[in-house]
Each structure stands twice: as structure tokens, then as C-alpha cells.
Amino acid sequence: SVERVRAPCAAARLRRVLGLPSDRPWLIGVVHLAATPGAPRYAGSLAGLLERTRDDARALFAGGADALVVENFGDCLLYTSD
């Protein structure tokens, strides 16, 4: 299928661009951001948010992660019953 042909090309491109290893599978960690400024659950401390994010990223790299994905689940929308 077309996906089978494109997948190896995409993986090779990703490996090359990000400098990922070619001799073993990749370990990609995920940093889950807390709520950011403007989000309903924002705790009010950007310095604290950045410190936690850096700590999480450092822990993932210390644990062997080759790359990180950063996602902002903390900014999820809140729905009310109104």
C-alpha cells in the first residue's frame, strides 16, 4: 500500500532531521504541560510551569528518551451545564 511505501521514507527523514539513532528503536517521551496562561485551570505561576516542564523533560532524557513530544492537555476545555 501507499502507507507502507511512505512510512520508511518518513521514518528516515525524521531520524535524519532529529538525529535519532538508526541502530535501535526510538524512545519518545511525552511532556504533559500543566495549564498555561489564559486557560481556566492556570495556576498563576509561569515560572512554576516552566520549572515543572524542564524537570519532566530532564527526567525523560535521563531515563533514555531520544526525543520529546510536548502536549498541552492541561489546557483542555471545561464545559458547564449552563
Side-chain angles (χ1 to χ4, degrees), residues 32-59:
H32 301 276
L33 291 179
T36 58
R41 294 181 180 171
Y42 177 58
S45 173
L46 183 58
L49 182 143
L50 294 174
E51 181 179 357
R52 177 182 163 192
T53 302
R54 278 190 299 268
D55 290 347
D56 289 351
R58 287 181 179 131

Side-chain angles (χ1 to χ4, degrees), residues 8 10-29 61 64-68:
R13 194 171 30 242
L14 190 62
R15 181 185 54 75
R16 188 176 61 252
V17 169
L18 297 179
L20 295 170
S22 60
D23 60 337
R24 61 177 172 77
W26 308 329
L27 176 61
I28 300 177
F61 279 128
D66 297 303
L68 297 178

